[in-house]
Amino acid sequence: MITWNNLDTLASYQELLGLERVDLAAAMTGENGAERVKNYSVPMAEGMAYNFGAKSVDDKVLEVLAKLADEAQLVDKFAALYNGEVINTGEKRRVLHHLVRGQLGEDVIADGVNKREFYVKQQTDIAAFANKVHNGEITNAAGEKFTTVVQIGIGGSDLGPRAVYLALEGWAKVHNTLKMNAGFISNVDPDDASLVLSNIDVAHTIFVLVSKSGTTLETLTNESFVKDAIVKAGLNPADHMIAVTSETSPLAKSADYLAAFFMDDYIGGRYSVTSGVGAAVLSLAFGPEVFAAFLDGAAAADKLSTNKDIMANPAMLDALIGVYERNVLGYLDTAVLPYSQALSRFPAHLQQLDMESNGKSVNRFGEPINYVTGPVIFGEPGTNGQHSFYQLLHQGTDIVPLQFIGFKNNQMENDVVIQGSTSQQKLCANVAAQIVAFACGKDDEDANKKFQGGRPSSIIVGDQLTPASLGALLSHFECKVMFQGFVWNINSFDQEGVQLGKVLAKKVLAHETDGALKVYSDLLNI
């Protein structure tokens, strides 16, 4: 039987608090450090590995973290989730994003529908539509092929799909699977839509409008902006737009769209990139086969997350180490540092995934909790970040845990030897150097040049960033966030924190303001 208890009531957590702290700088020095790095590594899906040799843990900490995983029933709670129990207590909903890429357990029947079959049908319908566009069966009014796809959405309807498109654009060019260029419009700032529209040929573009409710203010505003541009080009917007929405939204049966594909309330926006939200734009951009490989990678990682052994469940281990850093060691932030330019927007996606999920101060029953929860997430690709904020990471007053991501080979398969090494070798050399520099530090009589060390990091290592490895990477972090939410006994699947501002913005636009809200409205000339 599953029980939902606050972290500070668990015996294993109290045991964690009493453990002796690991001296990371000492542990990572010399042969001991070499053995740690070799031994503290867990296989991930698609040939990747999660290496935590430079984390502030030892065998004793790992032993108690395994107890915590069992006491908090993390794997059992995951099973309850993918078998369709109502895990989203705030909105009284199931949580089913895992079903869009595989069936881990029982069939989930909801609202009289087999949800796995429903999701597969949407993927099949989107794939058929994409193939018709690529084959020239669906064209513009002049009978010409579409060459560009632009997604209109915000939050989870933008960040995940955009990050994935940018992550695979180079790979697709090398493998001749880039079918259409993709663009994204998200911000209600008119400069966003204007700039995208100025860089495309509207006559040869399909626009994908993504709104579950069909009422999202920013998205509908940008849709009107785009429709105006299409009309000004002498075209019919209905020939250039498709919708990804719920079956009950006003967009679902509208004649304003070439086609409509459906999602439901059981997949939250930040978890939706493997659903129709990502399927439409990514299948149009890369082809359905590439999107299917992306789903396969995610499904393989999902399966690993069902393992009760923390040393065979990399997402759960990553989550537990993160809880130890947050709740025992007291670290506020986590920096995500992909040493891959293709992952330039991946930290932004993870920022929403993590902070919107676990930025909670009440438990899943609405009761205040007495411990900290989700960390602040930020990041940039290396080596750019090294010349930006690494100064604070190395010598600042706060210790920030680091999550590196690196690949042995680049995507574009184009490199040169300069000063005895390739660019890729230089990139990877920087990753290795940074991990050791953060962990071990450097003594110096000049205090300005002294590095204390003891700054923990982990690294996810893969051979190459491919559709499948990207899917596995995405699932790893989704499951990590989920497991941490379970440990903290919070609901990781609603986001009431984004609602209040929306309500007040509507009051401002309706000129129903007083007090400070009116003054700020006047200040901004609204």
Side-chain angles (χ1 to χ4, degrees), residues 393-457:
L393 301 182
H394 275 292
Q395 293 182 306
T397 53
D398 289 300
I399 292 179
V400 178
L402 314 167
Q403 173 67 77
F404 291 97
I405 303 170
F407 296 93
K408 299 171 188 175
N409 299 295
N410 66 336
Q411 282 187 322
M412 300 294 285
E413 301 176 4
N414 178 37
D415 207 346
V416 292
V417 175
I418 300 173
Q419 297 178 349
S421 59
T422 66
S423 297
Q424 184 67 22
Q425 287 172 328
K426 290 179 175 67
L427 179 71
C428 291
N430 272 276
V431 185
Q434 290 294 332
I435 293 172
V436 173
F438 279 117
C440 297
K442 178 179 78 75
D443 196 15
D444 199 292
E445 292 182 2
D446 183 343
N448 196 49
K449 296 181 179 180
K450 184 174 181 177
F451 294 76
Q452 293 291 344
R455 311 224 164 192
S457 69

Side-chain angles (χ1 to χ4, degrees), residues 129 138 207 238 241-244 251-252 254 256-262:
F129 180 85
I138 296 175
F207 295 89
M241 304 193 81
I242 66 173
V244 179
L251 310 180
S254 174
D256 291 341
Y257 305 99
L258 274 169
F261 306 104
F262 303 117

Side-chain angles (χ1 to χ4, degrees), residues 202-508:
V202 172
H204 296 90
T205 301
I206 287 181
F207 295 89
V208 183
L209 183 75
V210 182
S211 175
K212 186 186 298 181
S213 66
T215 61
T216 310
L217 176 65
E218 296 95 334
T219 300
L220 295 184
T221 300
N222 280 326
E223 179 193 26
S224 297
F225 203 102
V226 167
K227 282 184 174 179
D228 182 66
I230 295 172
V231 170
K232 285 178 179 176
L235 303 167
N236 179 2
D239 295 334
H240 290 262
M241 304 193 81
I242 66 173
V244 179
T245 188
S246 67
E247 291 180 298
T248 57
S249 91
L251 310 180
K253 301 294 189 290
S254 174
D256 291 341
Y257 305 99
L258 274 169
F261 306 104
F262 303 117
M263 51 180 166
D264 59 31
D265 287 334
Y266 303 130
I267 298 179
R270 57 196 176 277
Y271 296 96
S272 67
V273 65
T274 49
S275 75
V277 172
V281 64
L282 298 172
S283 295
L284 285 165
F286 302 131
E289 296 80 10
V290 172
F291 187 72
F294 172 63
L295 295 183
D296 287 344
D302 290 343
K303 189 173 182 181
L304 284 181
S305 293
T306 66
N307 198 314
K308 288 199 172 187
D309 179 359
I310 67 169
M311 301 305 289
N313 187 331
M316 188 164 70
L317 176 61
D318 194 359
L320 290 163
I321 292 174
V323 168
Y324 179 69
E325 290 174 332
R326 187 79 178 98
N327 296 93
V328 178
L329 302 182
Y331 301 147
L332 172 64
D333 312 299
T334 296
V336 179
L337 308 170
Y339 275 63
S340 166
Q341 185 58 31
L343 292 175
S344 61
R345 290 297 289 170
F346 197 63
H349 172 60
L350 296 185
Q351 189 174 60
Q352 185 204 14
L353 173 67
D354 202 312
M355 294 173 70
E356 196 170 82
S357 294
N358 289 341
K360 308 290 172 62
S361 56
V362 297
N363 67 15
R364 59 189 292 105
F365 307 114
E367 303 161 343
I369 51 179
N370 299 315
Y371 46 85
V372 295
T373 58
V376 174
I377 303 293
F378 69 96
E380 282 289 325
T383 56
N384 296 20
Q386 293 177 203
H387 297 269
S388 174
F389 51 80
Y390 277 36
Q391 169 62 41
L392 183 147
L393 301 182
H394 275 292
Q395 293 182 306
T397 53
D398 289 300
I399 292 179
V400 178
L402 314 167
Q403 173 67 77
F404 291 97
I405 303 170
F407 296 93
K408 299 171 188 175
N409 299 295
N410 66 336
Q411 282 187 322
M412 300 294 285
E413 301 176 4
N414 178 37
D415 207 346
V416 292
V417 175
I418 300 173
Q419 297 178 349
S421 59
T422 66
S423 297
Q424 184 67 22
Q425 287 172 328
K426 290 179 175 67
L427 179 71
C428 291
N430 272 276
V431 185
Q434 290 294 332
I435 293 172
V436 173
F438 279 117
C440 297
K442 178 179 78 75
D443 196 15
D444 199 292
E445 292 182 2
D446 183 343
N448 196 49
K449 296 181 179 180
K450 184 174 181 177
F451 294 76
Q452 293 291 344
R455 311 224 164 192
S457 69
S458 60
I459 181 168
I460 293 173
V461 180
D463 184 59
Q464 186 184 52
L465 185 61
T466 66
S469 63
L470 180 62
L473 196 63
L474 177 80
S475 167
H476 174 89
F477 284 102
E478 288 182 350
C479 292
K480 173 187 176 180
V481 167
M482 172 194 69
F483 284 131
Q484 288 186 330
F486 289 159
V487 173
W488 288 320
N489 198 31
I490 58 178
N491 178 14
S492 301
F493 304 106
D494 65 0
Q495 57 284 330
E496 292 301 324
V498 307
Q499 302 304 324
L500 179 58
K502 292 181 180 180
V503 172
L504 293 180
K506 289 180 180 179
K507 288 187 176 182
V508 172

